[in-house]
Amino acid sequence: MNHELIRLENLTMEFEGTRILDNLNLTIENGKFLTLLGPSGCGKTTTLRIIGGFLTPSSGTVLFDGKPINDIPAYKRQINTVFQNYALFPHLDVYDNIAFGLRISRLKEDEIDRRVTEMLRVVSLKGFENRSVASLSGGQQQRVAIARALVNRPKVLLLDEPLGALDLRLRKDMQNELKRIQQEIGITFIYVTHDQEEALSMSDTVVVMDSGRIQQVGTPEDIYNEPANAYVADFIGESNILDGTMLEDYKIRFFGRTFDCLDKGFTPNEPVDVVIRPEDVDIVDPSEGRLCGTVTNVTFKGVHYDTIVNFSGFKWLIQTTDFHPEGSRIGIRLNPDDIHVMHKSEYSGMFGDYSSYSAEYDEIAVAEESEEE
Amino acid sequence: MKNSTFSRKRRWLSAPYVIWMLLFTIIPLCIVIYYAFTDSVTGAFTLSNIGGILDYATIFLRSIWLSVAATLICLVVGYPVAYAISQMKPNMQRLLQLLIMLPMCMSFLLRTLAWVALLEDTGILNNVITALGLSPLPLIRNSGAVILGMVYNYLPYMILPLYSAISKINPRLIEAAEDLGCNKTRTFTKVILPLSIPGILSGITMVFVPAVSTFYISQKLGSPGTVMVGDIIESQFKGAYNPNLGAAMSLILMILIFLCIGVTNKVTANDSEEVAN
């Protein structure tokens, strides 16, 4: 069942001298929920639009079921799209919007009726048949858009930041809803988002992109626990990223101390990036700690405290449910599985230092995200 | 409280226009209605003016047919132009919009007279034709010339509302149509055309209304056989001196135009409600 459905080969996209996609290679399996995750301008939407047939790549091939489809126009592809801001037809009501594709393929009216009714059930919009789309809430329009695409029984559903316009609460509900629908229908979903939490909670496979290149492909757990480079570690969740040296298999040295870890296969004494997730650090009494530092900032976050700790000039973010006041001295302990070792990359040194941390960071990040496209 | 005083103050801003409308639209309209229902000699109430219009039924019908023809030609010619402009780069769009409006800056009379010079039996076109050794063509003093004159003069009023409606269509809707299986033709018939209906209707109104009441074009480019309502209304006031009949004709023409606008607005209102979002 899980055979390859779409393959992108050496996909490159250039627009007015700017390289938007840089030699992208990706295999998408049938029936999976795959997410293209990355910041604004990383090429995720471009990739989606190439798969949908709305853009032609500058070079490279899109294979569908093993056959190249570069020259097949959008309307002939067995792919449907849920557009950003839905793009529902304002001159048609809910029923006619959903029936649009079926009427184009000239199905019999009773067959259309059966399938539209079924789809209204799937997206929980029974009774909305004759409503005008303008009278619907954002979440309801979203469901119509999904139904309008799925009713055609495509092999692949493309979703371009479909939850971007919804408020947080509704977005959470729709995340569950989308995952449920995908599992019920069982077709491939290719989902584009800049929201890492959305990506982690819904996807079977996450593709992290930046600057037109794929940074990492993996399950949400892989991406989070074994980030491929400093970029991925920073983009997915919070990370402390330190310079270290891989002494030998399972031995890593940083801050002048040697720690046990679970990583192997590096060249002896290879300089590496070390990722330590804020929630993995155990705070202990300074006398018992492998490293000792001073708390410089504490922010209450609800479930935990964001605690910034200065270890001889390098500041870490540690998330803990215990309160340690500013100025207190603490020790930390690291278990081997708390330490993630990555090869150096072009992103080394760019992320993972909380020296200039302030609570406003989060707000700035949110503001930047909402400016997207 | 604050709001209501503000709006009350603001309401006064419209006073000059209200007075203007009263003096130069409402009162003259009342005079027209008064004339239409009174006898020219005795001043007594009569329906004979309205009844007298029946003698001119053919002229009314001709006016309607000529302006319907001109409106349809404007639509058929204007739609592709408006569509093509909407697909161009923004700078080009502005330039072409300007070009389309350019003839409107030139006097209406002059534009019509220019066509006379072109179409006359010894005019520029026929001079070219005879110079080529062919016999001259009857280009002027027929319905075709009148329709041509109306199309030429009113085409911008068709293109501009069409362009504005088409350029407002969200390009994502067109992609959505393609996504759902529409080729170019069906994308047009199923999405672009239905969404440009408000523009089509306002274009039709903007062309039909002035066309049906026009008088100068038919005088200059037409013949006695192409006289239009506007012409006979004019002659009631200038030549025949029967302002009562002229008033009655104006009134009936106005009612016809209102009916046309009413129908258009009703359809547009239903449509734009849906297009609004």
Side-chain angles (χ1 to χ4, degrees):
Chain A
M1 187 61 206
N2 284 342
H3 68 282
E4 167 197 314
L5 185 64
I6 295 178
R7 193 163 69 222
L8 310 178
E9 279 183 351
N10 307 322
L11 218 54
T12 297
M13 187 72 189
E14 275 170 4
F15 185 70
E16 289 176 353
T18 317
R19 187 161 276 217
I20 297 160
L21 291 182
D22 191 3
N23 208 27
L24 203 84
N25 286 284
L26 180 66
T27 305
I28 299 165
E29 280 182 16
N30 193 20
K32 286 291 168 76
F33 196 125
L34 178 131
T35 300
L36 301 174
L37 173 67
S40 174
C42 74
K44 56 190 194 299
T45 297
T46 305
T47 308
L48 194 79
R49 288 172 62 76
I50 288 174
I51 298 172
F54 303 111
L55 287 175
T56 311
S58 309
S59 67
T61 317
V62 183
L63 293 147
F64 189 90
D65 261 343
K67 287 182 273 301
I69 56 164
N70 285 34
D71 299 326
I72 297 184
Y75 73 92
K76 285 186 182 163
R77 297 189 184 190
Q78 289 172 296
I79 298 173
N80 286 112
T81 308
V82 175
F83 291 88
Q84 210 173 3
N85 303 322
Y86 327 130
L88 299 178
F89 299 119
H91 60 296
L92 302 176
D93 64 14
V94 169
Y95 184 97
D96 290 337
N97 259 282
I98 299 174
F100 190 91
L102 302 177
R103 295 219 166 103
I104 293 300
S105 25
R106 300 186 200 282
L107 261 66
K108 289 206 178 74
E109 274 302 318
D110 57 337
E111 166 77 358
I112 291 176
D113 196 58
R114 218 171 43 72
R115 278 164 72 167
V116 172
T117 310
E118 163 68 7
M119 225 4 105
L120 283 164
R121 182 195 62 75
V122 171
V123 298
S124 325
L125 275 182
K126 266 192 172 162
F128 284 75
E129 288 84 348
N130 300 318
R131 291 275 290 274
S132 108
V133 293
S135 72
L136 302 181
S137 71
Q140 290 164 342
Q141 292 190 24
Q142 175 66 75
R143 289 158 199 266
V144 176
I146 293 166
R148 182 181 70 174
L150 285 178
V151 78
N152 304 293
R153 298 186 182 155
K155 290 197 169 173
V156 181
L157 185 71
L158 307 180
L159 303 105
D160 186 6
E161 304 238 10
L163 308 184
L166 304 181
D167 62 53
L168 188 65
R169 195 49 172 284
L170 200 52
R171 209 191 293 192
K172 298 266 181 221
D173 292 346
M174 282 306 293
Q175 284 176 17
N176 297 330
E177 192 77 2
L178 275 173
K179 187 71 195 163
R180 178 187 68 75
I181 292 169
Q182 192 263 339
Q183 281 165 350
E184 184 178 334
I185 310 265
I187 62 161
T188 310
F189 274 35
I190 304 178
Y191 190 97
V192 158
T193 184
H194 62 259
D195 184 333
Q196 43 117 348
E197 196 212 313
E198 214 167 271
L200 295 181
S201 58
M202 288 193 288
S203 320
D204 296 313
T205 308
V206 178
V207 178
V208 184
M209 293 180 69
D210 183 56
S211 325
R213 285 191 297 270
I214 291 177
Q215 303 298 331
Q216 189 171 2
V217 181
T219 64
E221 288 84 355
D222 287 343
I223 300 274
Y224 190 83
N225 293 331
E226 299 297 334
N229 59 36
Y231 180 83
V232 177
D234 182 73
F235 194 77
I236 313 289
E238 298 284 352
S239 309
N240 300 293
I241 305 174
L242 328 162
D243 285 329
T245 309
M246 199 69 188
L247 299 175
E248 55 185 271
D249 283 355
Y250 312 118
K251 290 275 180 241
I252 174 83
R253 189 171 176 81
F254 55 90
F255 279 0
R257 288 171 183 77
T258 305
F259 294 83
D260 291 329
C261 65
L262 302 177
D263 300 83
K264 61 181 168 69
F266 291 80
T267 336
N269 293 319
E270 182 183 331
V272 290
D273 286 331
V274 182
V275 175
I276 292 159
R277 293 291 185 187
E279 70 277 16
D280 288 344
V281 180
D282 296 326
I283 296 185
V284 292
D285 193 80
S287 60
E288 296 168 31
R290 292 293 310 277
L291 286 166
C292 290
T294 314
V295 176
T296 62
N297 187 301
V298 184
T299 312
F300 179 59
K301 288 288 189 176
V303 178
H304 63 264
Y305 293 93
D306 268 1
T307 309
I308 303 292
V309 185
N310 187 346
F311 294 104
S312 49
F314 195 91
K315 290 186 180 175
W316 288 29
L317 171 68
I318 296 172
Q319 290 170 342
T320 163
T321 50
D322 301 321
F323 177 67
H324 299 277
E326 214 174 295
S328 59
R329 250 189 100 66
I330 57 156
I332 59 160
R333 208 159 28 193
L334 293 167
N335 299 319
D337 63 352
D338 297 336
I339 300 169
H340 311 294
V341 183
M342 312 177 300
H343 290 287
K344 286 277 178 191
S345 69
E346 57 183 306
Y347 296 104
S348 297
M350 288 164 64
F351 304 106
D353 177 3
Y354 287 85
S355 298
S356 52
Y357 175 89
S358 87
E360 287 147 38
Y361 259 34
D362 288 344
E363 287 160 34
I364 295 168
V366 169
E368 278 172 356
E369 277 175 7
S370 58
E371 276 169 26
E372 168 127 344
E373 283 149 309
Chain B
M1 192 63 200
K2 202 176 175 185
N3 247 336
S4 72
T5 35
F6 185 64
S7 68
R8 200 175 305 151
K9 266 184 195 164
R10 246 198 329 208
R11 210 177 299 158
W12 281 106
L13 292 172
S14 64
Y17 182 67
V18 170
I19 293 167
W20 176 270
M21 282 288 286
L22 196 68
L23 283 177
F24 298 107
T25 306
I26 306 296
I27 294 174
L29 191 63
C30 293
I31 298 173
V32 168
I33 294 170
Y34 171 79
Y35 268 82
F37 290 103
T38 49
D39 188 85
S40 55
V41 184
T42 61
F45 174 82
T46 175
L47 285 175
S48 62
N49 295 323
I50 304 288
I53 289 171
L54 284 176
D55 300 340
Y56 298 95
T58 48
I59 296 177
F60 268 87
L61 285 177
R62 181 192 300 139
S63 289
I64 288 170
W65 122 250
L66 287 177
S67 33
V68 164
T71 308
L72 288 179
I73 293 170
C74 281
L75 181 61
V76 171
V77 173
Y79 197 98
V81 175
Y83 183 77
I85 295 173
S86 73
Q87 303 300 304
M88 290 175 184
K89 290 199 171 128
N91 278 337
M92 198 62 182
Q93 291 193 18
R94 274 192 288 276
L95 178 72
L96 287 169
Q97 251 180 298
L98 204 71
L99 280 177
I100 284 166
M101 284 193 283
L102 199 58
M104 292 157 75
C105 309
M106 192 64 66
S107 158
F108 176 78
L109 302 180
L110 200 65
R111 275 181 281 157
T112 307
L113 286 173
W115 274 110
V116 174
L118 279 169
L119 300 178
E120 266 178 332
D121 294 341
T122 53
I124 296 168
L125 281 177
N126 271 325
N127 281 345
V128 173
I129 290 169
T130 42
L132 291 171
L134 303 165
S135 54
L137 296 170
L139 297 175
I140 202 165
R141 284 185 293 282
N142 52 43
S143 320
V146 176
I147 292 173
L148 175 72
M150 293 200 285
V151 168
Y152 177 77
N153 277 306
Y154 302 125
L155 189 58
Y157 300 97
M158 178 63 85
I159 294 177
L160 294 176
L162 280 175
Y163 161 75
S164 125
I166 297 170
S167 59
K168 265 190 234 144
I169 298 174
N170 179 359
R172 287 282 178 277
L173 293 178
I174 292 161
E175 284 184 358
E178 288 170 15
D179 188 74
L180 294 166
C182 290
N183 56 22
K184 294 269 181 234
T185 322
R186 308 194 84 190
T187 303
F188 180 78
T189 56
K190 297 284 176 189
V191 176
I192 299 172
L193 194 61
L195 289 176
S196 41
I197 284 175
I200 294 176
L201 292 173
S202 85
I204 287 176
T205 312
M206 303 267 279
V207 172
F208 179 74
V209 171
V212 78
S213 57
T214 189
F215 63 95
Y216 190 72
I217 296 174
S218 46
Q219 282 171 24
K220 290 294 157 192
L221 299 173
S223 67
T226 62
V227 169
M228 292 180 67
V229 181
D231 301 308
I232 52 166
I233 292 174
E234 193 207 12
S235 70
Q236 295 314 314
F237 288 91
K238 286 171 93 178
Y241 204 73
N242 189 351
N244 301 72
L245 181 58
M249 287 171 172
S250 303
L251 198 63
I252 296 298
L253 185 61
M254 199 177 78
I255 289 167
L256 285 176
I257 290 171
F258 274 161
L259 283 176
C260 164
I261 296 176
V263 170
T264 312
N265 281 0
K266 198 169 160 52
V267 185
T268 323
N270 288 342
D271 217 84
S272 56
E273 227 166 69
E274 289 168 11
V275 177
N277 288 293

